[in-house]
Amino acid sequence: MHTATVLGPIQSASTPACRLVVREQKGLAEVFEFITAGLEIGQQVVAMAGPNFLKDIAQGLSENGLRPEVLLRSGRLIFLTAPECLPQLVLPKDILKRGSLRLNGSVLRWVTDWSWAYGNGNSAATILGYQHQVHDFVRSLTRLSLCTVQCDKLARNSLLAMMAEHRRAARAS
């Protein structure tokens, strides 16, 4: 059975805050729901995560009848591999200098999985800095975003810091 804790508001056109999902098991039901809902109505979806998570997304989309290789090629789905992609998110405002990130002008959904950061031995301050930068960048592009993390990689103080960052991002909008 899949269980997760959803922290933060459900996204709507007027809700600027990023929804936070802390996954208690490896299931990705909320993530797939968020991604497929966007793809089905023609939105572009960007997923920033570690390589294993991105592979799981591609596999799940395939199992649900979607063709991730076609979506990736067409730019409807963009995978950004963390942490390698982080520098391109903080480059100067010229979006065309952002490497693989090519936004096509449609409404955008953004998914970030932070499990890679908590599983890599990064300090809490470093991860919080990453989250702050990513939230500021994403907020400049879209109001439809979701952050997720596998809870077995997350200490209580890290969860509290992550929740505080999501509240900060919501207030800054």
Side-chain angles (χ1 to χ4, degrees):
M1 179 171 186
H2 166 74
T3 58
T5 303
V6 178
L7 305 168
I10 300 300
Q11 294 302 129
S12 73
S14 63
T15 305
C18 178
R19 187 170 71 178
L20 174 61
V21 176
V22 179
R23 299 182 328 273
E24 296 175 14
Q25 297 180 10
K26 293 199 182 228
L28 301 176
E30 291 88 354
V31 174
F32 287 132
E33 181 181 317
F34 186 78
I35 291 172
T36 56
L39 291 171
E40 287 173 353
I41 61 172
Q43 294 175 331
Q44 184 180 39
V45 176
V46 177
M48 184 189 112
N52 291 335
F53 190 87
L54 295 174
K55 187 171 86 174
D56 290 345
I57 289 175
Q59 181 179 350
L61 291 173
S62 290
E63 290 170 359
N64 287 300
L66 296 170
R67 298 179 55 203
E69 64 283 349
V70 172
L71 293 166
L72 289 164
R73 230 182 350 266
S74 70
R76 292 261 324 281
L77 179 64
I78 297 174
F79 282 172
L80 300 175
T81 306
E84 294 83 11
C85 67
L86 290 173
Q88 71 177 299
L89 301 181
V90 294
L91 282 173
K93 301 243 184 250
D94 186 354
I95 197 114
L96 297 177
K97 294 182 180 176
R98 295 188 189 272
S100 63
L101 184 57
R102 299 279 186 250
L103 304 176
N104 68 12
S106 67
V107 175
L108 177 74
R109 285 182 184 233
W110 189 286
V111 176
T112 305
D113 177 64
W114 291 102
S115 301
W116 64 269
Y118 291 102
N120 269 356
N122 292 307
S123 74
T126 298
I127 297 169
L128 193 57
Y130 290 154
Q131 289 173 355
H132 184 83
Q133 289 177 335
V134 169
H135 275 133
D136 287 349
F137 175 73
V138 171
R139 197 174 57 251
S140 73
L141 300 173
T142 186
R143 294 174 180 261
L144 298 169
S145 62
L146 179 140
C147 283
T148 183
V149 67
Q150 181 71 36
C151 82
D152 64 357
K153 298 181 186 252
L154 197 61
R156 178 176 162 72
N157 61 340
S158 295
L159 174 61
L160 294 174
M162 194 171 193
M163 290 170 56
E165 168 54 25
H166 277 79
R167 282 192 302 276
R168 181 213 59 88
R171 281 192 309 271
S173 295

